[in-house]
Amino acid sequence: MTRPAAGAPLSRVDGWLKVTGQAAYAAEHDAHGAVRDVAHGVIVTSTAGRGRINGIDTRAAGALPGVLTVISHLNAPKLPYQPFRGMPDPAAGGGERLRVFQDDRVRFFGQPVAVVVAETLEAARHAAALVRIGYDGEPPATDLTSPAGPPNKPENYQRGDVETALRQAHTRLTRTYRLPREQHHPMETHATIAHWNGDRLTLWDKTQNVLNTRADLAAVFGIPPESIRVISPFVGGAFGSALRAWPHVTIAALAARQVRRPVKVVLTREQMFTGTGHRPVTDYTLTLAAGQDGRLTAAVHDISAATSTYEDYRESLTVQGRMLYATSNVRQTYRSIPLDISTPTYMRGPGAATAAFAIECAMDELAHELGIDPIDLRLRNEPGQDPSTGAPFSTRRLRECLRIGSRTVGWGDRDPEPRSAHDGNWLLGTGVAVASYHTLRAPAQALARIDADGNAIVQCATSDMGPGTYTSMTQVAADALGLPMAGVRFQLGDSTMPQSPPHGGSLTMASVGSAVQDTCDKLRLQAIRLAVEDPGSPLHGASANDVAVENGRLHLRDDPERGETYRQLLARADLSHLETPGGYTPGDEVERFSTHAYGAVFAQVAVDESLGLVRIRRVLGVYDAGRVINPKLAESQAIGGMVGGIGMALLEHAVTDPRDGRIVNANLADYLVPVNADVPDVNAIYLRGDDRTADPIGVKGLGEVVIVGVAPAIANAVFHATGRRIRSLPITIEALL
């Protein structure tokens, strides 16, 4: 028997293309020959945080050699901005998205207000620096305590009798936790090349959703989605920032139509801070009530999170508070607060990572208050079914995650008293936090073809921003078709391919993987039926159920010598290929079951007693994430998530100047992210599992859950080391001194 590809720790099939520079990213398609005669667009951004433009002087910029045009609201055509026809905009909960160059209003610092198009990038940059813009400015509202307007309609939830439970509680604590604005900083900055051919538009774009970009631009320009093709074969990281088409995509297309040639727009690192979303500032006040035995009797969640004045963006901030622990009485209020900022968007572990910091730190505080071990407190509050719906869990192996993790890090040897462990001048601490993330699924389609040479091509319009989609889908397809990995080529990132959901929310493997499985199963059975019905085939007359396929060869299960290859089958039938579509549509599992991935995260830290420096010594995550298609890729995902969680806990924070809304540290010198020295020992353990309730291939998705519990585990470890409870991220030296 051939060893299955799925479940094996295989290297990336696209790795060679990436390390040799053959993989074409969004800004590189002209260099790779896909498009020629490209002009360059450089965006001019607002230096006011709120107000109106009272004048634009482009004379010096327009006089430079090589400058083709300068476009602003003064000369840009009015665009239809019709309602979406197709997939909804995933980042907007309501309101009106930013209409670039359509009026003189300034809604946030860094808003695009003009674009210079020139023959070369250097000329465009020089000219952009010469554009002079005047403003009638107003003080912007950039803080949750002084919003730009009244809060948007709150999201409310309640079950049980909260007030009675609070009055009767043995112990009650109320704490407020604050999370700062965080920025996505993938290696590849956002870029778009736009090219019009008559009324048809082609976009080479950095996107996690080619179909949504197509729908977005169709709405902006008032043209059919079928007139737009979006191509995105490689994405150099995104973390959620590429789940929607941001203004620069529209600007590239608008500029290309104006100058009648392809135009490339690449955002600078500074422009990424205001041009492609961020994790919003959030204040999370949590009240926990418990009996003397530590069993929760009530929880009250009061949440305020930032959004822009023109869109009402909201995260899934309330899911964990409703179902993570067995609590009969829960009340939640979630308010989105309009500020003069660019619209926030999904950032890895959206909502869940934020909520986990508040919930898991509060649970640690409650454990300390009651004198109960933090792990024991969590185990005492483990629910038997989803407390929010009463539905059974598809799987919930959190007890096992906690047990394995605690044994691995030596939790039993930990003195629970803060400041009890030392290593010279370093105070040592160990903390724990629980992680969860809801298992998302969405309809997806695929197309599979076996060519005359016996090799297969499988297509889907999904993306790969780094988790290894090319590889994992190839593994699923290879097993389903009975081919070696080298005999399958998976293609993605093109809106002309079969439809897929957004590449985010940990739903790609469950959705696209299930579609690939279905499609390739159908294609294999099509080939088998062709063989058993063909009088010339060695398999003629056999039952299709008795035929297996291995290494591209069809044979009887009980008589492996009787068979033939795909190549022989197609040659005898004089066929150039066999092809079939397939897909996956979720059923009612989400109504009948509670499906989540879970994890237990352990952090060990050292804090310099004199200087307040925090150093990570170890982070371990143990996860219940269903079936793991590729352990090597899964480990890579966990490392990335944990590094992101370390940054969230200790380093990342976009600082806003309240006078004008400028991001003070809008660069990677001052906006700190973890480097190798910050990450000495991170490791993940995945429980062996297979959740067929969640989806046909048994996966749960693991890209999000691996960041969720890291920040609270570190914060809890810092408290254990120092006795200082830090409730605002990041945990800085100043906070500990």
Side-chain angles (χ1 to χ4, degrees):
M1 291 289 292
T2 303
R3 182 182 178 185
L10 303 180
S11 297
R12 296 171 185 259
V13 298
D14 55 328
W16 181 253
L17 295 177
K18 291 180 176 179
V19 300
T20 58
Q22 298 178 66
Y25 292 88
E28 300 176 331
H29 288 280
D30 54 336
H32 285 256
V35 59
R36 301 185 184 280
D37 193 30
V38 173
H40 296 265
V42 171
I43 296 174
V44 180
T45 56
S46 167
T47 56
R50 178 177 176 174
R52 292 187 179 274
I53 299 170
N54 62 26
I56 301 179
D57 185 349
T58 63
R59 289 172 295 179
L64 281 181
V67 172
L68 303 175
T69 188
V70 182
I71 305 172
S72 70
H73 76 280
L74 297 177
N75 59 353
K78 298 305 177 185
L79 300 176
Y81 281 90
Q82 297 177 352
F84 273 93
R85 292 171 291 179
M87 300 180 69
D89 185 342
E96 181 181 277
R97 58 199 161 131
L98 188 70
R99 299 188 173 203
V100 293
F101 307 160
Q102 299 299 291
D103 58 42
D104 62 356
R105 289 186 59 196
V106 174
R107 296 162 178 84
F108 58 90
F109 189 101
Q111 174 184 319
V113 291
V115 63
V116 176
V117 185
E119 294 285 355
T120 66
L121 178 60
E122 292 75 14
R125 284 177 174 168
H126 187 189
L130 297 177
V131 174
R132 296 291 178 259
I133 301 179
Y135 302 96
D136 293 325
E138 304 172 29
T142 60
D143 190 88
L144 292 176
T145 60
S146 302
N152 295 302
K153 184 178 180 180
E155 176 185 334
N156 296 312
Y157 170 86
Q158 181 163 338
R159 68 171 183 261
D161 186 348
V162 174
E163 294 305 323
T164 299
L166 290 174
R167 286 195 306 269
Q168 296 176 352
H170 172 272
T171 299
R172 186 172 71 184
L173 62 82
T174 299
R175 302 289 187 268
T176 297
Y177 303 89
R178 166 163 275 218
L179 291 97
R181 172 171 172 162
E182 283 187 79
Q183 303 287 155
H184 314 78
H185 277 299
M187 291 178 65
E188 179 197 20
T189 57
H190 281 248
T192 304
I193 301 175
H195 175 47
W196 291 87
N197 184 4
D199 292 332
R200 302 188 68 84
L201 172 63
T202 300
L203 295 168
W204 292 266
D205 186 41
K206 176 188 173 115
T207 177
Q208 294 171 243
N209 191 349
V210 292
L211 298 177
N212 188 70
T213 298
R214 183 180 70 175
D216 189 307
L217 271 290
V220 168
F221 287 94
I223 60 178
E226 296 74 24
S227 297
I228 301 175
R229 182 183 181 189
V230 183
I231 301 171
S232 183
F234 293 96
V235 179
F239 314 116
S241 67
L243 279 169
R244 70 179 297 183
W246 295 101
H248 70 274
V249 184
T250 296
I251 291 170
L254 177 63
R257 195 165 70 171
Q258 290 291 96
V259 301
R260 299 180 182 275
R261 60 188 281 192
V263 170
K264 180 198 297 189
V265 173
V266 182
L267 296 189
T268 65
R269 184 63 65 178
E270 182 179 6
Q271 289 172 340
M272 292 274 286
F273 278 80
T274 53
T276 57
H278 52 271
R279 196 191 303 274
V281 171
T282 303
D283 282 352
Y284 197 126
T285 299
L286 177 57
T287 298
L288 294 181
Q292 189 173 2
D293 61 357
R295 298 188 187 278
L296 295 173
T297 56
V300 180
H301 307 252
D302 194 346
I303 307 165
S304 296
T307 187
S308 67
T309 57
Y310 54 94
E311 286 181 295
D312 185 8
Y313 169 78
R314 301 186 184 214
E315 296 194 317
S316 300
L317 277 165
T318 60
V319 174
Q320 290 170 304
R322 298 178 186 182
M323 53 70 60
L324 193 54
Y325 294 111
T327 317
S328 299
N329 308 292
V330 177
R331 184 170 68 234
Q332 293 177 322
T333 301
Y334 172 18
R335 303 175 186 85
S336 59
I337 310 297
L339 301 177
D340 295 313
I341 59 173
S342 59
T343 301
T345 195
Y346 303 128
M347 187 169 177
R348 196 170 190 177
T354 300
F357 176 67
I359 294 170
E360 290 303 295
C361 287
M363 287 292 285
D364 204 68
E365 296 202 48
L366 180 63
H368 183 72
E369 185 86 9
L370 293 170
I372 298 174
D373 179 83
I375 292 179
D376 190 24
L377 179 70
R378 289 166 171 82
L379 293 175
R380 293 184 192 190
N381 288 284
E382 263 292 278
Q385 58 188 16
D386 190 318
S388 65
T389 64
F393 296 111
S394 60
T395 71
R396 181 173 169 126
R397 300 165 67 188
L398 198 46
R399 291 180 180 273
E400 192 174 348
C401 293
L402 287 164
R403 185 179 68 251
I404 292 174
S406 62
R407 184 175 65 241
T408 304
V409 301
W411 182 271
D413 299 328
R414 165 186 180 270
D415 186 332
E417 189 66 26
R419 301 180 66 90
S420 59
H422 299 260
D423 179 8
N425 199 46
W426 295 92
L427 300 171
L428 306 181
T430 303
V432 65
V434 162
S436 70
Y437 197 82
H438 48 292
T439 299
L440 298 174
R441 296 151 300 229
Q445 298 174 2
L447 182 70
R449 185 179 80 233
I450 297 175
D451 288 326
D453 61 3
N455 293 322
I457 294 175
V458 184
Q459 293 182 332
C460 179
T462 188
S463 301
D464 187 352
M465 62 172 164
T469 308
Y470 279 106
T471 308
S472 56
M473 298 304 165
T474 301
Q475 289 175 269
V476 172
D479 285 349
L481 293 171
L483 284 168
M485 287 283 290
V488 178
R489 183 155 56 100
F490 186 74
Q491 297 177 333
L492 55 73
D494 191 324
S495 60
T496 62
M497 295 177 182
Q499 90 165 38
S500 70
H503 179 54
S506 289
L507 59 72
T508 300
M509 197 67 239
S511 306
V512 177
S514 294
V516 169
Q517 180 76 52
D518 175 77
T519 305
C520 293
D521 282 345
K522 289 177 177 175
L523 183 56
R524 184 189 72 252
L525 292 174
Q526 181 182 353
I528 290 173
R529 284 194 297 269
L530 180 62
V532 299
E533 294 171 4
D534 183 354
S537 171
L539 297 170
H540 179 247
S543 169
N545 293 332
D546 295 334
V547 178
V549 186
E550 292 183 274
N551 287 320
R553 184 175 180 274
L554 298 74
H555 65 82
L556 286 179
R557 299 180 193 277
D558 296 335
D559 185 6
E561 297 301 317
R562 182 180 166 187
E564 62 179 332
T565 64
Y566 283 131
R567 179 184 296 183
Q568 292 169 328
L569 174 66
L570 268 64
R572 188 176 59 256
D574 196 25
L575 294 173
S576 62
H577 65 276
L578 290 177
E579 182 178 278
T580 188
Y584 164 67
T585 301
D588 63 352
E589 301 90 349
V590 69
E591 286 81 30
R592 295 187 297 111
F593 292 91
S594 176
T595 55
H596 297 257
Y598 296 96
V601 183
F602 295 80
Q604 295 176 323
V605 305
V607 183
D608 189 293
E609 191 168 13
S610 302
L611 302 178
L613 293 172
V614 180
R615 291 290 179 261
I616 301 295
R617 294 212 168 172
R618 184 181 192 182
V619 178
L620 170 71
V622 184
Y623 299 104
D624 164 26
R627 182 183 176 208
V628 175
I629 299 298
N630 188 316
K632 191 173 187 178
L633 296 177
E635 181 182 22
S636 178
Q637 281 287 281
I639 291 171
M642 290 176 186
V643 170
I646 292 170
M648 186 177 184
L650 302 179
L651 298 169
E652 297 189 51
H653 182 197
V655 180
T656 303
D657 187 332
R659 296 171 298 179
D660 57 11
R662 179 174 66 96
I663 304 299
V664 176
N665 57 337
N667 55 72
L668 284 182
D670 299 309
Y671 182 91
L672 303 180
V673 297
V675 297
N676 285 347
D678 299 311
V679 191
D681 185 2
V682 296
N683 190 30
I685 298 171
Y686 290 96
L687 304 183
R688 296 179 68 88
D690 194 334
D691 190 350
R692 300 288 165 153
T693 300
D695 50 74
I697 62 174
V699 304
K700 284 190 172 189
L702 49 81
E704 313 288 349
V705 72
V706 290
I707 193 176
V708 170
V710 179
I714 292 171
N716 293 338
V718 168
F719 170 75
H720 182 230
T722 66
R724 296 285 300 276
R725 182 68 66 178
I726 309 301
R727 301 186 182 95
S728 296
L729 295 183
I731 301 171
T732 62
I733 293 173
E734 294 85 351
L736 288 170
L737 289 179

